Each structure stands twice: as C-alpha cells, then as structure tokens.
Amino acid sequence: MRIISGTYKGRRISTPSNITARPTTDFAKEGLFNLLNNKIDFEDIDTLDLFAGTGSIGVEFISRGCSSNISVELNERHCAFIRKVCEELKIKNMSLIKTDVFKFLNSCHSKFDVIFADPPYELKELAEIPDIIFDKQLLKPDGLFILEHSAKNSFVAHPQFDGHRNYGNVNFSFFVNK
C-alpha cells in the first residue's frame, strides 16, 4: 500500500498476509485522486470510508489535509491493521468504527463532504448503497459519493449519478448531492 500525495507521500506500508480485503490498486487510487484534485479542495473536509479494508483510502484523505475521516470496517484483522497504520503515522483525526456498514448507515446522523465505498464486488446489496446514502441524507450540499464496483454494475440511471471512470478492472461511479 502506497500513499500517493500529501503529508505521508511516498510512504509504503506492507499489508500482512492475513488481510483478505481487495485493496484499491495503486493505479486506480492514483487515477481517482488525480481526478478528485480537480473536483474538490481536500483542506478541511469531512470524509467517510465504507468497507475500509486496509484503510488506504482514509489514510490518503488524511494525508491530503482532510479535517476528519471515519473508516467503517467489520473484519477485526483489517481493523487491527488500520489501527497499527494510524499509530505508526501518528494520525489523530481518523476514527475507526468496527461494525457492519449497513448498521452504521442506518444509525449515522453525521453529514460528509465525501463518502467513498469499496464493497465486495459480489455483495448482493451493492446496487442499493447509493440510494441508502441519499435517503439517509449523509452528504452535505454538493457532497460527493464515490462507489467502487466491477464492470457489471452501471449506475447511469441513478438521479444523482455524475460520472464514471474505470482504471483496469476497477470502476468508480460518482454521485453528487445536487
């Protein structure tokens, strides 16, 4: 796992073999954040990382100057790794919540500038995630929701859909709180 830009730019963190998450590839992450650099100002925004896995996306947000990041992950091994990374980098403004993402979404009353979700590609509820985000009003005005998914999913018909990018086998759909 490589941190692409910001305070921790260039840091490489080895993921242990007991991590079963499918981390966003460096190629896809770099493409995503290059695109985001043109869309948002990272300074002083609040971010949410759902299905956090290795925590790579949350750490990238923090490295770029975001005020806060909440990372939600259910797997204890993955949580332990994220805690270790935050400790090593002395990150204080990244909160880890160990719970099921759908339970978290149903009880969340906070609003975020950017929400990123990287669910398992075969998750049967994957297509419902954008509706949950917007039904629960979890984005601030003009907030951005990014969903990572496989090529078999398409969200172009969603009312808040704002674009799609693919980087190899990794697909990102973008939604805006208009």
Side-chain angles (χ1 to χ4, degrees):
M1 170 171 118
R2 178 175 58 96
I3 302 169
I4 297 163
S5 189
T7 305
Y8 307 110
K9 179 181 180 176
R11 295 283 299 261
R12 290 191 176 275
I13 300 161
S14 298
T15 53
S17 59
N18 66 351
I19 296 289
T20 57
R22 172 201 34 78
T24 302
T25 64
D26 281 351
F27 171 69
K29 185 168 68 168
E30 188 165 3
L32 171 65
F33 277 91
N34 284 341
L35 181 77
L36 292 179
N37 275 334
N38 296 317
K39 287 185 173 253
I40 60 174
D41 180 6
F42 290 99
E43 296 284 320
D44 302 322
I45 65 170
D46 299 308
T47 61
L48 174 63
D49 181 9
L50 302 171
F51 306 95
T54 63
S56 169
I57 298 295
V59 170
E60 191 71 40
F61 279 130
I62 293 299
S63 182
R64 291 168 183 258
C66 294
S67 293
S68 70
N69 173 267
I70 295 175
S71 291
V72 181
E73 175 58 50
L74 182 59
N75 184 294
E76 180 51 43
R77 280 189 227 130
H78 301 172
C79 288
F81 178 71
I82 294 169
R83 282 186 211 101
K84 179 182 172 225
V85 168
C86 288
E87 189 176 298
E88 286 176 8
L89 297 176
K90 297 177 177 41
I91 294 174
K92 303 285 187 220
N93 53 343
M94 186 169 161
S95 302
L96 174 63
I97 299 177
K98 183 189 177 297
T99 192
D100 175 79
V101 165
F102 296 101
K103 286 181 183 174
F104 172 82
L105 292 174
N106 283 325
S107 65
C108 183
H109 299 292
S110 299
K111 292 188 183 291
F112 302 91
D113 297 288
V114 178
I115 299 174
F116 179 84
D118 180 10
Y121 286 179
E122 299 305 317
L123 183 73
K124 65 179 180 163
E125 301 92 350
L126 187 144
E128 299 167 24
I129 296 172
D131 289 333
I132 294 169
I133 298 293
F134 287 98
D135 289 347
K136 295 286 183 182
Q137 300 178 13
L138 298 177
L139 283 171
K140 293 178 183 177
D142 298 318
L144 179 65
F145 171 53
I146 307 152
L147 178 62
E148 182 175 333
H149 57 86
S150 71
K152 72 179 184 179
N153 299 98
S154 175
F155 296 92
V156 295
H158 195 279
Q160 282 82 19
F161 180 79
D162 192 53
H164 173 265
R165 291 283 194 287
N166 71 301
Y167 299 93
N169 293 328
V170 178
N171 290 262
F172 297 111
S173 286
F174 301 88
F175 306 82
V176 175
N177 187 18
K178 301 170 187 164

